Amino acid sequence: MPEANSNTTLKRLRNHYRMVIMNDDTFEEVIKFRLSRLSAYIVLSTTFLLMIGLAVALLVFTPLRYYMPGASANSDTRRELQTLKIRTDSLEQALKYKDVYLNGIKQVLGADDVLRDTASLKVPK
């Protein structure tokens, strides 16, 4: 009885194959390769890693990094942005306080908008 694991994964990875690219009109061999599944896997993995490395290098070492969110030029720029954000928040709060103050003055000066209490008050003697 033949052995069940005679064609293991490692053997299948090491089997050699020939890949031929032919001209369809003349059936002439243009390029031929002799490779295995393992070598094809290694070539594709290496190409993938090189492409990722190239993309990361392009983002890290070129001015494209300024367009990434959260990546500022240096710590001075980040500190300046935080200071401007704090100032903007405090100015918004001061503006809200002034609006409330001006609305109160408008109510006091304009008799039409003031709510009056019309219920009679009983004061004990």
Side-chain angles (χ1 to χ4, degrees), residues 18-33:
R18 182 172 33 179
M19 183 173 86
V20 178
I21 299 177
M22 299 176 71
N23 186 348
D24 196 29
D25 295 331
T26 62
F27 295 109
E28 177 186 359
E29 291 182 2
V30 178
I31 299 173
K32 62 181 173 180
F33 298 104

Side-chain angles (χ1 to χ4, degrees), residues 52-88:
I52 288 177
L54 181 66
V56 168
L58 187 69
L59 289 174
V60 170
F61 297 118
T62 63
L64 289 175
R65 70 174 172 256
Y66 298 122
Y67 294 107
M68 292 173 42
S72 64
N74 53 23
S75 62
D76 294 334
T77 306
R78 182 176 287 131
R79 190 176 310 118
E80 185 177 340
L81 286 174
Q82 287 176 345
T83 304
L84 288 174
K85 184 178 178 182
I86 291 171
R87 285 183 68 192
T88 304

Side-chain angles (χ1 to χ4, degrees), residues 103-123:
N103 286 335
I105 290 190
K106 284 179 185 177
Q107 285 180 355
V108 168
L109 294 177
D112 296 335
D113 295 339
V114 178
L115 296 176
R116 296 187 180 129
D117 186 15
T118 57
S120 61
L121 186 64
K122 293 183 181 180
V123 181

